[in-house]
Amino acid sequence: MSTTNNGFVKGLLVPGLPQPLLAPEQNAGWSELRRAFAAAREEIVACKPDLLLIYSVMWPSIIGHQIQSHPTPTWVHVDELFHELGSMPYQFRIDTEFSEGYRDAARDRGLTASCVAYHGFPIDTGSIVALKLLNPDNAIPASIVSSNIYADRAETAVLGKAAADALATQGKRAVAIVVSTLSNRLFTDFIEPEADRIHSQKDDEWNRKMLEFLAEGRLEDVAQLSRNIHEQVRVKKVVNFKPMWWLSAAMGAHNNYQGKVYAYEALYGTGGAVVSLNPVEQGVGDKEFDEDDVDFWQGDRSVLNTEESTTSSMRLSPGPNEPEGKPS
Amino acid sequence: MSNSGQIVAGLLAPHPPHLVYGESPPQNEPKAECGWENLRWGYERMRADIEALDYDVIVILSPHWQTYIGTHLLGVPQFKSLSVDPIFPDLFRFHYDLSVDTELAQAIHDEGARSGLVMKMMTNPDFRVDYGTIVSCHLTRPQWDRPIVALSSCRANSYYSTEVMQEQAMELGRATRRAIEASGKRAILLASNSLSHRHFTSSSDIPEDMSQEHVTNHNQYLWDMEMIRKMKAGRTREMIDVMPEFTDHTVSETDAGSFTWMLSALDFPSYPAEVYTYGTVIGTGNAVASWIPSKDMRP
Ligand SMILES: [Fe+2]
C-alpha cells in the first residue's frame, strides 16, 4: 500500500510533446516513452486515487494562476508546432469541486487564482498528452493548473502547498502529475524521426544527473537545484524552471520518496522522461537546503520603489505588528 | 519587378483582446459597456486611412502562433471556429470565419525557403487560428472581406538572441516583399505586437474600469516614447539597432519578430510613421501606426 504525503499518493513527471501520443511508431525512443506512459498508468490505477492533478509548464498564465474547471472540456486540438502529426480530439472529466477548492485555497495563501470553465478554452498539448495516455478512459477525474510566466520560486511553492490544502479540505487522495521535459532545447530545423537525439552532451549529462537523484527519491534535492537546471539546460522562455518546486511543495519538501525512472529518451532534441515518485517513511535523508520554506505569497516586491508604497503588496518587509510570513 | 504587386501599407496593429471586447462585435460572446477608447478610436482612424488603399490581402505575423522550428504559414483556404483567449477567456470568445490566400502563403513560403529560412505550410484543417491574428485582423478590417496570409513567430529570440531573431525576421521580410511583388497583389502588412509588455498580474473586478489602467512602470513608458519618437521621425533603422535593448528592458512583444519583419518588408522607411494612438492594456504599451509608401511626399 502506498503512503500519502499531503494527500498525494504519488507524483509523476512526464513530457508533454505530442510524439509519444501521435507518432510513437516513428522512433524507437518515442515508443519507449509511450510504453513508459502505460507503465505509469498501471501505477496510477493500482493506487486508486480520487483525482489526477496536472501542473503543466506548457500552460502559461499571466493573471495569477488558472485552474481548469469545466466538467467536460471537449475539443479537437492541434499542436501549433507539430500540426503535421495530426489532430488530438479529446473529452476529459474534470473534478470541478476540486478545481474550485484549489482556487480558494490558493487565494487563502495570498495568490491570485481563478477557474476557467469556458467551452473551447485552449487546453495545452502537454496536458492533453498526459491525460490521454495516463487516463484514456477518464476513469479518474482530473484537474489542471497553469504555470504563471512571472512566478518564481516562492509563488510556485505556495501554489504547491495550496494544492495540498485543497486535498485536505476535501479529504481526497491525488496523483500529482508534472508535465515538463528535462532539458528543453528543441532542434531548430526539422529532422527525420530516426535522427532524434538529445540536443547536446551537456543537456544529456544534466538530464542524467536529475534522473539519478529522482531515481533515489531525492525530490527536494532536485527542487533545490532548479535555478542551476534553468541556467544550464533550459531555454529561457520563463523566469525559472519551476515544476520541481511545485511538486516538492505539494507532496512534501524532502527526499523521502521511492523513485522509478521508466524511460529517458530524446524528443526532438529535448529530454523526455517518465518518472514516478512514491512517498516512503525514510529516504536518503534531507540535505542542508539553501532555499527558504515559504507559506504565504505576499506579492511582487518592488525593488525600484524603495519609498513606502501605496499597496500592501508592494512592501519590502512585513508591517510592524505582523508576524513574518503571514498574509495581511 | 515585372509584376505590379506591392505592399501598400505596413501597420503596427497590436492585438489586446480587450479592444475587441470593448467594441463588442456580434462575433464575440462577452459584451462590454465600453473601455480602452483611445486605442479603439486610434484603430478607427487607422481604418479610415487605409480604406482608400484598395488592397487585396492582409499579411500578418502574430506573436501568438509560436513555432520553435522555423516560420509556418496557414495553408488551408478556410477556417471557421471559436477562438478563446487563454489569458482572458472572460473577455474574448470569438467566432471567426476567415479565408486564406494560400497561393500567396505558398509563394512566401517558397521565397523564404529559397533564402535559407526554415519554412513550413500548416495544412491541418482542425488547426485553430491564434487569437493574435484574429484580434489584429478584426480591428484592421472588421468586415472580414479580405483573405489573409498568417505567418507564425519563430522563437529565435528565446533560442538564440534578439540579434539572431532580427536577422531571420529581416530575411523573412525581404522574402515576403519579393513574393508580394511577384504576385501582382496589393497587400497590407500587420505587425501584431505591443511595445512594452510587462502585464499586471491581477485584474480588476470590472475589466473595463479605466481608472485602473496605466503603464506598468515609468521606464517602460520612457522606452515606448523613445520608440515612438523614432517612428515619427522615420528612423526605422535606428529602431532595429536598439531593438535588443528595447526588447530586453521592456520584455517587449517585439521578441516575436513581427515588427522587424514588417519594417524590413517595407525596406526600412525613412519617412515618418502616422502614429494614431498610444495606450495601455493591463499595463502593456500599445501603439497603432502606419507606414504608407504612397503618402511619402518627399521629393
Ligand atoms: Fe500578445
Side-chain angles (χ1 to χ4, degrees), chain A residues 194-207:
Chain A
E194 61 270 20
D196 203 358
R197 58 174 173 79
I198 302 293
H199 195 280
S200 70
Q201 189 174 346
K202 180 188 175 192
D203 285 1
D204 189 36
E205 287 173 1
W206 268 96
N207 292 342

Side-chain angles (χ1 to χ4, degrees), chain B residues 15 64 197 253:
Chain B
H15 57 252
H64 291 287
H197 206 234
E253 218 175 17

Side-chain angles (χ1 to χ4, degrees), chain A residues 146-201:
Chain A
S146 70
S147 177
N148 183 291
I149 62 166
Y150 297 120
D152 212 321
R153 180 178 177 275
E155 191 171 351
T156 304
V158 171
L159 182 68
K161 290 182 179 187
D165 295 348
L167 289 176
T169 302
Q170 299 186 7
K172 287 177 178 167
R173 299 160 70 253
V175 172
I177 300 169
V178 157
V179 175
S180 175
T181 51
L182 301 171
S183 64
N184 70 340
R185 183 166 286 275
L186 291 156
F187 292 111
T188 49
D189 204 343
F190 287 99
I191 59 164
E192 292 303 320
E194 61 270 20
D196 203 358
R197 58 174 173 79
I198 302 293
H199 195 280
S200 70
Q201 189 174 346

